[in-house]
Amino acid sequence: MTKSRWLFRLADGILPYLASLTYFLLLIEAVSYIGFLHQFIGFNSLFFLYSNLLLLGFLSIWLISHPKEELSFYTHFFLKLQSFFLLPLVVIYYIFYLTEQANYDNFVYTTFHVQPQNARYIVILAFWLTLFYLFVSSRRILVQKKVFKSRTQVFNWFNLTIVLYVLLMAFFVNNSINTVGLSIENVIFIFRNPTLSYDRKMFESWKYFYPQMQFVNQHSPETAVIAIPPAQNHWLTDGNSVVVRYFVYPRKVVNLIESEVGTETLYLMPDTSYTHVLLTKGSWQDPTVEFGWPKIPFPVSKIYYQMPDGTASVSAVNTFDPSLEVNKNSYGLIEL
Amino acid sequence: MLFFIDLLLIILVALPLVQFLAPGTNVWEKIALGYFVGFGIVTYGVFLSHIWFSVPITFGLYALIMAVLFLIGIWLNRTQLLKNFQTFKVEALRKKFLASVSNVNWFKYAVIILVFLPPLLSVFIDSYWPIRDWDAITLYDFRAKVVYITHNFQPLIEQYSNYYFAYPMFTSLSNAYFYFFGYANPMAFYGANFLFFAIIFYSRLRSKLGFVAAAFFTALISYTFPIFSHSLIAYANLPYTTFLVAGYLYLFTWVTEGKSNWFWIGCLLLGISIWNRDAEPFWVSALLLVAIQSYRLKNFKFIGYFIANVVFFMAPWAWYKGLVVPDTTSTHALSLTHSILTLTSKHLVNMVVYLFRYFVEPYMLMHAIFIISLIIFIQNRNYKAWPVLVVIVSNYLIVLAGTGYLSLTYSKWLNVGGSLERMVLFFIPLSIFFAAQVLHTRPRKK
């Protein structure tokens, strides 16, 4: 027996045991976490998964280049047996995945003590083992049914065609999981909230920012020119002039170009004329600067503070004082 | 509901022209083409009327352009329509309808519904949500709302014009169409774009393959996550992808079948893709294909027609943009000459990493599918799928060259990887189409 044939026989003999062990270890880490086994054996289950895939790769290449070789009866039997579990495993995984999408992250782990993102590796192993089985058994069937005269002819014809179909199926499975998941997530939301208003839908996407902009519209005329902060630090959204403009149009928006270093632009006001100033605490996290804009005092006629329920608390002061806590932590509109 | 009425209206006005350009297609493909051709021609007609004749963009202008499109289509089809009118019999139509209903193949219908389920769901989901994504509201839909309120582009010119005129107005004027025609929510336009593209893809495959094969490969497109997720946002990337690939598909049909009507419709769709996003140069690969086919046919007028088509869709926008945007030079622009002269090995490594991260890695399986298909294509020695291969390979080269050019002329190029990832979405349907053709081509006997 040549050295390479000896290797083939060894790989053929190992495959059922390695695959069985891998299934077991993947199951352990599906109910715990990836890396759980590492503390005991120095490897996690993915190491065994990749070993299986490497072994399948070696066997595939050997069988392609030696069309008359066969796998042992025991390996053939094991592959056939495990192929019956592929469909149930896919169905179970899909149920877990969609259940998670329909509820919240970690719902499945909390309820069933199974991590869907780890359980998918069991499906991946079953998928590749089953495909390998189909690849091997197609030689026999096509020769038996006299579609091809010999196994050599099968391989000459089907080698890369099978690989291409495998890739196309993998492409489909990989994409359809995410597509179906996203569809279900959206459809469930729609059926739970069929009569949501436009304002509520925009709030779902823009959170606090949408009611903030609605507040500006309610307390300024359409001819207003509104000064907003530069788009930096806490004000990456509130200071983005094209975003703000969409929500407050036909009102105009003016601001300074943001500084890429330092915070000095936060202490300057736009040099073009404006009628109102956006009062905004800011929402992005940045430890280098305090919340609250504007940061300098200036004469005003009114300040509209946005209350949590969306109504306005009006303060008729003469000067805007940025040092006051209420001015640092509020949202609203300043009228000049 | 209003959205669907508006959608149907624009499809109907484009149908006569579609019938003239693509007479051999089935009714569903004609409807899909009606969507593509209708929105493309109407929005472009509105734009040209406004910039050349200063016509305010109103409901009346849209209605006028639609009427003109409809009448042109009727006039081009006048001979056939007259013949149909003269031979029309209600009884024959009734018998045809009853025959089609009684011969329903429920299995086929079930498969078709499954294949087109994601695009249908996309239309359903889009009908619920308003336009809400970042670039959609700051750029595309903002332009639409400005046009709807002011009937011109003036507010866009007055402030941040270099931002508002970064891309052509196709999606914005499409959104504005729905605003003018009853203030319908235009969001489902993007789901419809996905659906009608899937129909065209299926129809082009079905013209060469059996039902099961065409359904399988179309399902690969329908269930592709990047395409599906783009259909749920109102960006210009998906419309660009669909117009571009649909244009390619009809050019492939022109090459294999030889009838010039396929050339015209392929040209038109590719031109509208430029009207969608003019910066992307992927029409160049179509020009290469047209050049090769023209050489084979020894008829070079097609090259001239194609170039004229590109110029027609590109030049007016470029001219108008140059007029209204005072300075198109980016603050991050670099001198190409200087960049080439100071090129370092680190820059080349960055380019390779950039391409791997944003072009190779997100689409690993797709690249593998293309490579294996290419090997089978060469092994079979039956080169029927050569037009698709020419387009894909030249587009790979364009991506490579384009990335090199960008890295040498724009200092912030490393920050725009997401744009590259969205821009190359069209490689997915092209690779799948190539795989379909290769798998269903018999090897040449030795």
Side-chain angles (χ1 to χ4, degrees), chain B residues 145-216:
Chain B
K145 288 199 162 152
V146 163
V147 161
Y148 174 67
I149 293 169
T150 65
H151 310 301
N152 57 56
F153 302 134
Q154 199 53 38
L156 307 171
I157 297 169
E158 283 166 1
Q159 246 188 336
Y160 317 117
S161 57
N162 56 341
Y163 176 74
Y164 291 125
F165 288 89
Y167 295 103
M169 295 273 180
F170 171 73
T171 45
S172 301
L173 290 177
S174 299
N175 288 4
Y177 164 79
F178 291 100
Y179 293 140
F180 280 116
F181 282 67
Y183 210 81
N185 175 14
M187 189 64 209
F189 169 81
Y190 301 87
N193 187 263
F194 182 27
L195 174 65
F196 291 126
F197 172 70
I199 290 173
I200 287 177
F201 192 86
Y202 170 79
S203 302
R204 291 296 90 219
L205 279 176
R206 190 70 179 92
S207 66
K208 296 283 178 231
L209 309 180
F211 169 72
V212 172
F216 171 68

Side-chain angles (χ1 to χ4, degrees), chain B residues 20-67:
Chain B
F20 177 76
L21 289 173
T25 51
N26 64 48
V27 67
W28 293 107
E29 192 175 358
K30 281 195 177 71
I31 290 171
L33 280 169
Y35 163 92
F36 279 87
V37 168
F39 275 102
I41 292 181
V42 168
T43 55
Y44 202 55
V46 163
F47 173 72
L48 291 179
S49 305
H50 179 67
I51 64 169
W52 284 346
F53 307 115
S54 302
V55 180
I57 304 175
T58 59
F59 166 84
L61 179 60
Y62 273 93
L64 177 66
I65 301 291
M66 286 163 72

Side-chain angles (χ1 to χ4, degrees), chain B residues 194-313:
Chain B
F194 182 27
L195 174 65
F196 291 126
F197 172 70
I199 290 173
I200 287 177
F201 192 86
Y202 170 79
S203 302
R204 291 296 90 219
L205 279 176
R206 190 70 179 92
S207 66
K208 296 283 178 231
L209 309 180
F211 169 72
V212 172
F216 171 68
F217 287 102
T218 306
L220 289 174
I221 300 303
S222 292
Y223 285 82
T224 297
F225 184 67
I227 296 179
F228 177 75
S229 59
H230 267 91
S231 73
L232 300 181
I233 58 176
Y235 283 19
N237 300 92
L238 183 65
Y240 174 74
T241 296
T242 55
F243 275 93
L244 183 74
V245 176
Y248 286 147
L249 295 179
Y250 286 107
L251 285 181
F252 299 152
T253 311
W254 168 59
V255 170
T256 50
E257 290 188 15
K259 292 181 188 165
S260 59
N261 63 295
W262 301 120
F263 169 80
W264 292 114
I265 199 145
C267 248
L268 180 61
L269 293 174
L270 273 157
I272 299 169
S273 77
I274 297 171
W275 169 224
N276 208 319
R277 290 174 76 91
D278 64 332
E280 274 81 331
F282 297 107
W283 54 268
V284 173
S285 56
L287 175 61
L288 177 64
L289 177 65
V290 169
I292 294 171
Q293 182 62 3
S294 298
Y295 175 77
R296 292 174 81 228
L297 295 173
K298 298 287 183 279
N299 186 345
F300 296 95
K301 67 181 179 193
F302 291 109
I303 301 177
Y305 294 147
F306 188 87
I307 292 173
N309 176 69
V310 168
V311 169
F312 175 69
F313 279 100

Side-chain angles (χ1 to χ4, degrees), chain A residues 133-143 148 154 158 162:
Chain A
Y133 167 67
L134 289 172
F135 165 67
V136 167
S137 55
S138 66
R139 303 187 298 161
R140 264 192 205 174
I141 292 164
L142 291 165
V143 172
F148 290 92
V154 171
F158 271 113
I162 288 181

